[in-house]
């Protein structure tokens, strides 16, 4: 099970500075692979500080000769919400290496406000 959660904050430590977002509170990416059945369950999540139009694109990617190629992609959006979670499953070959890329977007109506991404390792 792989689970990563990005919490946007401003922090200085070990010479690392992380961005603090105005609208995005957290973005998550999770990949669970059942080696017995070959089912990959991909989850992307977005939480904001206040209600907005939210959009997530979640991509299941497979490592192929050193390059990550997209196997499946899903997009979902909601209006006037604080959070959005997208979960999809598909059959894969568990012998290959996979990851999930999550791209999260926040809008005020049709006006773009903020975006970030998260990738499982």
């Amino acid at each position: 099970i792989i689970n990563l959660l990005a919490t946007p904050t401003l922090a200085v430590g070990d010479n690392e500075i992380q961005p603090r977002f105005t609208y995005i509170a957290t973005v998550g990416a999770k990949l669970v692979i059942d080696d017995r059945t070959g089912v990959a369950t991909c989850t992307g999540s977005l939480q904001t500080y206040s209600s907005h139009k939210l959009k997530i694109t979640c991509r299941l990617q497979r490592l192929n000769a050193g390059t990550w190629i997209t196997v499946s992609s899903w997009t979902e959006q909601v209006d006037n919400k604080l959070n959005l979670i997208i979960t999809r499953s598909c059959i894969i070959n568990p012998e290959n290496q996979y990851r999930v890329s999550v791209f999260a977007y926040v809008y005020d109506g049709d006006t773009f406000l903020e975006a970030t991404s998260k990738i499982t390792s």
Side-chain angles (χ1 to χ4, degrees):
I1 297 175
I2 300 170
N3 185 12
L4 298 174
L5 189 64
T7 305
T9 58
L10 180 61
V12 179
D14 297 326
N15 296 324
E16 182 178 337
I17 297 175
Q18 298 177 1
R20 178 175 175 81
F21 296 108
T22 303
Y23 304 98
I24 296 173
T26 60
V27 173
K30 182 178 179 181
L31 174 61
V32 177
I33 297 176
D34 186 326
D35 292 330
R36 186 179 49 82
T37 62
V39 174
T41 302
C42 311
T43 303
S45 62
L46 167 61
Q47 184 174 0
T48 58
Y49 295 113
S50 56
S51 295
H52 286 90
K53 179 179 176 181
L54 311 178
K55 179 180 172 183
I56 291 179
T57 298
C58 191
R59 294 181 182 152
L60 176 63
Q61 299 178 315
R62 177 175 48 89
L63 188 60
N64 183 24
T67 303
W68 290 101
I69 61 166
T70 299
V71 176
S72 292
S73 181
W74 307 277
T75 299
E76 203 166 300
Q77 69 180 32
V78 294
D79 289 326
N80 219 13
K81 297 286 183 178
L82 285 170
N83 57 41
L84 174 60
I85 298 173
I86 181 172
T87 300
R88 298 288 189 274
S89 296
C90 62
I91 303 293
I92 51 98
N93 179 351
E95 294 177 6
N96 293 325
Q97 186 175 352
Y98 294 87
R99 72 180 188 183
V100 169
S101 297
V102 173
F103 300 89
Y105 308 89
V106 179
Y107 299 87
D108 182 10
D110 291 331
T111 303
F112 170 79
L113 297 175
E114 207 164 63
T116 191
S117 62
K118 190 69 184 170
I119 300 173
T120 60
S121 54

